[in-house]
Amino acid sequence: SVQEFMTFTSQLIVERSELGSRASVKEQEYLCHVYVRNDGLAGVVIADNEYPQRVCFTLLDKVLDEFSRQVSKMDWPSGSPATISYSALDGYLSKYQVWPPWM
């Protein structure tokens, strides 16, 4: 399924990325933009080739910064969507789903 593809690909890309790195990786017809912070927190945006790379990394910066303020660092390694509540993600995804995000 699409969800399984996204989860597997995201995990693989994060595992292969170094702390403090940003990268864009082509996978099938998508670009996977990954940001792994120095503290180990990571995020991935999967977008088509037309979505601006700069916007993907801006989104990752905002989401990871806010997440790190709201969720204890002790919960990051073992957390999952079922155990960590981070409701702001839905708002970010809605806002950035269409380019430009103000449309």
Side-chain angles (χ1 to χ4, degrees), residues 12-28:
L12 190 63
I13 292 170
V14 168
E15 289 171 2
R16 294 180 178 180
S17 299
E18 295 183 24
L19 292 179
S21 69
R22 298 173 193 262
S24 296
V25 179
K26 185 161 178 54
E27 183 61 39
Q28 297 179 17

Side-chain angles (χ1 to χ4, degrees), residues 1-102:
S1 73
V2 173
Q3 179 67 40
E4 290 170 338
F5 160 78
M6 291 180 5
T7 301
F8 176 78
T9 302
S10 296
Q11 289 173 339
L12 190 63
I13 292 170
V14 168
E15 289 171 2
R16 294 180 178 180
S17 299
E18 295 183 24
L19 292 179
S21 69
R22 298 173 193 262
S24 296
V25 179
K26 185 161 178 54
E27 183 61 39
Q28 297 179 17
E29 69 267 18
Y30 301 102
L31 273 176
C32 303
H33 306 279
V34 61
Y35 175 31
V36 181
R37 296 182 355 164
N38 287 320
D39 59 10
L41 189 60
V44 177
V45 170
I46 299 174
D48 63 25
N49 293 326
E50 295 181 18
Y51 201 89
Q53 179 180 10
R54 178 185 53 80
V55 176
C56 292
F57 287 114
T58 298
L59 172 59
L60 285 168
D61 280 334
K62 289 179 180 185
V63 169
L64 294 178
D65 284 346
E66 187 172 318
F67 181 89
S68 68
R69 286 193 303 272
Q70 292 183 12
V71 178
S72 169
K73 188 173 183 176
M74 292 180 61
D75 293 332
W76 298 354
S78 61
S80 72
T83 61
I84 294 178
S85 175
Y86 179 62
S87 59
L89 183 60
D90 291 338
Y92 282 115
L93 293 178
S94 292
K95 180 178 179 182
Y96 284 84
Q97 191 170 21
V98 176
W99 179 252
W102 53 84

